[in-house]
Amino acid sequence: MKFPMTRTLCVLCSTAALAAGLSACAPVVIGGGAVVGAMMATDRRTTGTQVEDEGIELRAANRIREALGDRVHVNVTSFNRQVLLTGEAQTAEDKQRVEQIALGVENVRSVVNELGVMPNSSLSQRTSDTFITGKVRASLVDAKDLMANAFTVVTERDVVYLMGRVTPREASRATDIARGVSGVRKVVRVFEVVSEDELARSNAALNARQPAPVAQDPAAASASPATPAAPAAPATSGVQATPLAPLPAPAATGVVTQPVR
């Protein structure tokens, strides 16, 4: 069968990019063991929120690794400061401990704990999950009525988790697409659902924040160069800068804090 170029490239790139996260020696994986992150340029989150989500994933993963080591296999995925935990924990106590660690990370506003209480998954299972994620992403790309980069896809033990800031129509459409992919056992939606009007306003606000190109004034260019300013005096020793306040959490309207299956 002949596949469209976008589908083939998406599957190949997804599998190659995620191979490093499959090792059975890695107890904690940042961004999910089988997840393809959205491209920053077309993400519906602000650039600041995307950077904050990456920081949340890194801090949570480091703290879980330090506290529990290889007793757990945890994938940490943050979207708009909502953290999804997937993977396995040996005991119910370890599962709860992982959740508390994630909740304690700065700027996390909620945690969806989907850890299974069971032995860690095998390398073959993680390879299968990675391939399923690639197929789901490719199917989202092929759907011309969806913006594929609005979705984050995580797969764990053949269960697909969908995250993103989407409208009800987009949520239903993406769910139907994921359910139609071979090998998918179940689809769990962890969406932030917004109305069409709210999404339009949000997109307009994001576009308005893009810096405008700077045009040089011809008159200024022909003028003689100004005298260089004297270097600024160094800051007074011993004066501490005021620490930056944490980024504010986004409005909770429409946020799904419990997974919809």
Side-chain angles (χ1 to χ4, degrees), residues 9-31:
L9 287 176
C10 188
V11 173
L12 292 176
C13 292
S14 299
T15 304
L18 299 171
L22 293 174
S23 172
C25 298
V28 184
V29 180
I30 299 172

PDB file of all heavy atoms in Angstrom, residues 9-31:
ATOM      1  N   LEU A   9       6.790  10.056   6.754  1.00  0.00           N
ATOM      2  CA  LEU A   9       7.813  10.838   7.438  1.00  0.00           C
ATOM      3  C   LEU A   9       7.500  10.979   8.911  1.00  0.00           C
ATOM      4  O   LEU A   9       8.396  10.922   9.758  1.00  0.00           O
ATOM      5  CB  LEU A   9       7.921  12.221   6.787  1.00  0.00           C
ATOM      6  CG  LEU A   9       8.585  12.253   5.406  1.00  0.00           C
ATOM      7  CD1 LEU A   9       8.543  13.665   4.841  1.00  0.00           C
ATOM      8  CD2 LEU A   9      10.018  11.756   5.479  1.00  0.00           C
ATOM      9  N   CYS A  10       6.233  11.172   9.249  1.00  0.00           N
ATOM     10  CA  CYS A  10       5.869  11.355  10.650  1.00  0.00           C
ATOM     11  C   CYS A  10       6.175  10.110  11.466  1.00  0.00           C
ATOM     12  O   CYS A  10       6.725  10.184  12.552  1.00  0.00           O
ATOM     13  CB  CYS A  10       4.382  11.710  10.755  1.00  0.00           C
ATOM     14  SG  CYS A  10       3.876  12.186  12.421  1.00  0.00           S
ATOM     15  N   VAL A  11       5.818   8.929  10.920  1.00  0.00           N
ATOM     16  CA  VAL A  11       6.078   7.694  11.643  1.00  0.00           C
ATOM     17  C   VAL A  11       7.564   7.463  11.820  1.00  0.00           C
ATOM     18  O   VAL A  11       8.040   7.126  12.906  1.00  0.00           O
ATOM     19  CB  VAL A  11       5.428   6.500  10.912  1.00  0.00           C
ATOM     20  CG1 VAL A  11       5.844   5.183  11.556  1.00  0.00           C
ATOM     21  CG2 VAL A  11       3.916   6.635  10.926  1.00  0.00           C
ATOM     22  N   LEU A  12       8.343   7.678  10.744  1.00  0.00           N
ATOM     23  CA  LEU A  12       9.788   7.451  10.819  1.00  0.00           C
ATOM     24  C   LEU A  12      10.451   8.411  11.795  1.00  0.00           C
ATOM     25  O   LEU A  12      11.276   8.009  12.612  1.00  0.00           O
ATOM     26  CB  LEU A  12      10.410   7.588   9.434  1.00  0.00           C
ATOM     27  CG  LEU A  12      10.043   6.496   8.412  1.00  0.00           C
ATOM     28  CD1 LEU A  12      10.665   6.817   7.069  1.00  0.00           C
ATOM     29  CD2 LEU A  12      10.492   5.130   8.900  1.00  0.00           C
ATOM     30  N   CYS A  13      10.092   9.688  11.710  1.00  0.00           N
ATOM     31  CA  CYS A  13      10.708  10.671  12.607  1.00  0.00           C
ATOM     32  C   CYS A  13      10.306  10.425  14.048  1.00  0.00           C
ATOM     33  O   CYS A  13      11.110  10.580  14.966  1.00  0.00           O
ATOM     34  CB  CYS A  13      10.300  12.091  12.182  1.00  0.00           C
ATOM     35  SG  CYS A  13      11.006  12.587  10.599  1.00  0.00           S
ATOM     36  N   SER A  14       9.055  10.041  14.273  1.00  0.00           N
ATOM     37  CA  SER A  14       8.597   9.778  15.632  1.00  0.00           C
ATOM     38  C   SER A  14       9.362   8.622  16.244  1.00  0.00           C
ATOM     39  O   SER A  14       9.825   8.692  17.387  1.00  0.00           O
ATOM     40  CB  SER A  14       7.100   9.460  15.631  1.00  0.00           C
ATOM     41  OG  SER A  14       6.360  10.538  15.128  1.00  0.00           O
ATOM     42  N   THR A  15       9.510   7.551  15.483  1.00  0.00           N
ATOM     43  CA  THR A  15      10.197   6.379  16.018  1.00  0.00           C
ATOM     44  C   THR A  15      11.652   6.676  16.305  1.00  0.00           C
ATOM     45  O   THR A  15      12.190   6.281  17.346  1.00  0.00           O
ATOM     46  CB  THR A  15      10.087   5.210  15.011  1.00  0.00           C
ATOM     47  OG1 THR A  15       8.700   4.985  14.732  1.00  0.00           O
ATOM     48  CG2 THR A  15      10.710   3.950  15.566  1.00  0.00           C
ATOM     49  N   ALA A  16      12.310   7.400  15.407  1.00  0.00           N
ATOM     50  CA  ALA A  16      13.729   7.700  15.615  1.00  0.00           C
ATOM     51  C   ALA A  16      13.931   8.623  16.791  1.00  0.00           C
ATOM     52  O   ALA A  16      14.851   8.442  17.589  1.00  0.00           O
ATOM     53  CB  ALA A  16      14.302   8.339  14.343  1.00  0.00           C
ATOM     54  N   ALA A  17      13.064   9.629  16.915  1.00  0.00           N
ATOM     55  CA  ALA A  17      13.246  10.617  17.980  1.00  0.00           C
ATOM     56  C   ALA A  17      12.997  10.028  19.346  1.00  0.00           C
ATOM     57  O   ALA A  17      13.538  10.506  20.343  1.00  0.00           O
ATOM     58  CB  ALA A  17      12.310  11.797  17.752  1.00  0.00           C
ATOM     59  N   LEU A  18      12.181   8.994  19.442  1.00  0.00           N
ATOM     60  CA  LEU A  18      11.784   8.473  20.733  1.00  0.00           C
ATOM     61  C   LEU A  18      12.533   7.214  21.125  1.00  0.00           C
ATOM     62  O   LEU A  18      12.329   6.690  22.200  1.00  0.00           O
ATOM     63  CB  LEU A  18      10.279   8.172  20.711  1.00  0.00           C
ATOM     64  CG  LEU A  18       9.412   9.393  20.448  1.00  0.00           C
ATOM     65  CD1 LEU A  18       7.969   8.968  20.235  1.00  0.00           C
ATOM     66  CD2 LEU A  18       9.507  10.370  21.578  1.00  0.00           C
ATOM     67  N   ALA A  19      13.402   6.727  20.286  1.00  0.00           N
ATOM     68  CA  ALA A  19      14.093   5.480  20.585  1.00  0.00           C
ATOM     69  C   ALA A  19      14.920   5.587  21.857  1.00  0.00           C
ATOM     70  O   ALA A  19      15.064   4.623  22.605  1.00  0.00           O
ATOM     71  CB  ALA A  19      14.987   5.078  19.411  1.00  0.00           C
ATOM     72  N   ALA A  20      15.457   6.778  22.110  1.00  0.00           N
ATOM     73  CA  ALA A  20      16.302   6.960  23.298  1.00  0.00           C
ATOM     74  C   ALA A  20      15.518   6.797  24.578  1.00  0.00           C
ATOM     75  O   ALA A  20      16.088   6.496  25.626  1.00  0.00           O
ATOM     76  CB  ALA A  20      16.957   8.346  23.267  1.00  0.00           C
ATOM     77  N   GLY A  21      14.209   6.998  24.541  1.00  0.00           N
ATOM     78  CA  GLY A  21      13.413   6.895  25.759  1.00  0.00           C
ATOM     79  C   GLY A  21      12.926   5.502  26.056  1.00  0.00           C
ATOM     80  O   GLY A  21      12.202   5.298  27.015  1.00  0.00           O
ATOM     81  N   LEU A  22      13.301   4.505  25.261  1.00  0.00           N
ATOM     82  CA  LEU A  22      12.746   3.177  25.413  1.00  0.00           C
ATOM     83  C   LEU A  22      13.553   2.288  26.342  1.00  0.00           C
ATOM     84  O   LEU A  22      13.089   1.231  26.730  1.00  0.00           O
ATOM     85  CB  LEU A  22      12.664   2.498  24.034  1.00  0.00           C
ATOM     86  CG  LEU A  22      11.667   3.117  23.063  1.00  0.00           C
ATOM     87  CD1 LEU A  22      11.797   2.438  21.706  1.00  0.00           C
ATOM     88  CD2 LEU A  22      10.259   2.979  23.591  1.00  0.00           C
ATOM     89  N   SER A  23      14.766   2.666  26.665  1.00  0.00           N
ATOM     90  CA  SER A  23      15.632   1.777  27.424  1.00  0.00           C
ATOM     91  C   SER A  23      15.007   1.365  28.738  1.00  0.00           C
ATOM     92  O   SER A  23      14.466   2.172  29.484  1.00  0.00           O
ATOM     93  CB  SER A  23      16.975   2.464  27.704  1.00  0.00           C
ATOM     94  OG  SER A  23      17.752   1.694  28.585  1.00  0.00           O
ATOM     95  N   ALA A  24      15.076   0.077  29.045  1.00  0.00           N
ATOM     96  CA  ALA A  24      14.524  -0.417  30.303  1.00  0.00           C
ATOM     97  C   ALA A  24      15.316   0.097  31.491  1.00  0.00           C
ATOM     98  O   ALA A  24      14.883  -0.048  32.631  1.00  0.00           O
ATOM     99  CB  ALA A  24      14.540  -1.955  30.296  1.00  0.00           C
ATOM    100  N   CYS A  25      16.479   0.682  31.260  1.00  0.00           N
ATOM    101  CA  CYS A  25      17.294   1.220  32.340  1.00  0.00           C
ATOM    102  C   CYS A  25      16.865   2.626  32.735  1.00  0.00           C
ATOM    103  O   CYS A  25      17.397   3.187  33.684  1.00  0.00           O
ATOM    104  CB  CYS A  25      18.764   1.248  31.923  1.00  0.00           C
ATOM    105  SG  CYS A  25      19.448  -0.383  31.560  1.00  0.00           S
ATOM    106  N   ALA A  26      15.945   3.227  32.002  1.00  0.00           N
ATOM    107  CA  ALA A  26      15.528   4.593  32.292  1.00  0.00           C
ATOM    108  C   ALA A  26      14.256   4.572  33.111  1.00  0.00           C
ATOM    109  O   ALA A  26      13.175   4.330  32.583  1.00  0.00           O
ATOM    110  CB  ALA A  26      15.302   5.368  30.990  1.00  0.00           C
ATOM    111  N   PRO A  27      14.328   4.797  34.464  1.00  0.00           N
ATOM    112  CA  PRO A  27      13.137   4.714  35.299  1.00  0.00           C
ATOM    113  C   PRO A  27      12.189   5.883  35.125  1.00  0.00           C
ATOM    114  O   PRO A  27      10.999   5.751  35.367  1.00  0.00           O
ATOM    115  CB  PRO A  27      13.706   4.661  36.718  1.00  0.00           C
ATOM    116  CG  PRO A  27      15.018   5.367  36.619  1.00  0.00           C
ATOM    117  CD  PRO A  27      15.540   5.068  35.244  1.00  0.00           C
ATOM    118  N   VAL A  28      12.692   7.050  34.757  1.00  0.00           N
ATOM    119  CA  VAL A  28      11.849   8.236  34.597  1.00  0.00           C
ATOM    120  C   VAL A  28      12.144   8.862  33.252  1.00  0.00           C
ATOM    121  O   VAL A  28      13.293   9.096  32.901  1.00  0.00           O
ATOM    122  CB  VAL A  28      12.098   9.268  35.723  1.00  0.00           C
ATOM    123  CG1 VAL A  28      11.137  10.433  35.578  1.00  0.00           C
ATOM    124  CG2 VAL A  28      11.954   8.626  37.091  1.00  0.00           C
ATOM    125  N   VAL A  29      11.096   9.118  32.480  1.00  0.00           N
ATOM    126  CA  VAL A  29      11.245   9.682  31.142  1.00  0.00           C
ATOM    127  C   VAL A  29      10.532  11.015  31.089  1.00  0.00           C
ATOM    128  O   VAL A  29       9.394  11.145  31.546  1.00  0.00           O
ATOM    129  CB  VAL A  29      10.666   8.730  30.071  1.00  0.00           C
ATOM    130  CG1 VAL A  29      10.832   9.335  28.684  1.00  0.00           C
ATOM    131  CG2 VAL A  29      11.344   7.371  30.152  1.00  0.00           C
ATOM    132  N   ILE A  30      11.207  12.023  30.552  1.00  0.00           N
ATOM    133  CA  ILE A  30      10.634  13.357  30.427  1.00  0.00           C
ATOM    134  C   ILE A  30       9.790  13.434  29.169  1.00  0.00           C
ATOM    135  O   ILE A  30      10.236  13.035  28.100  1.00  0.00           O
ATOM    136  CB  ILE A  30      11.740  14.427  30.389  1.00  0.00           C
ATOM    137  CG1 ILE A  30      12.557  14.387  31.680  1.00  0.00           C
ATOM    138  CG2 ILE A  30      11.157  15.813  30.172  1.00  0.00           C
ATOM    139  CD1 ILE A  30      13.778  15.264  31.643  1.00  0.00           C
ATOM    140  N   GLY A  31       8.576  13.958  29.295  1.00  0.00           N
ATOM    141  CA  GLY A  31       7.728  14.149  28.143  1.00  0.00           C
ATOM    142  C   GLY A  31       7.055  12.887  27.660  1.00  0.00           C
ATOM    143  O   GLY A  31       6.435  12.882  26.611  1.00  0.00           O
TER     144      GLY A  31
END
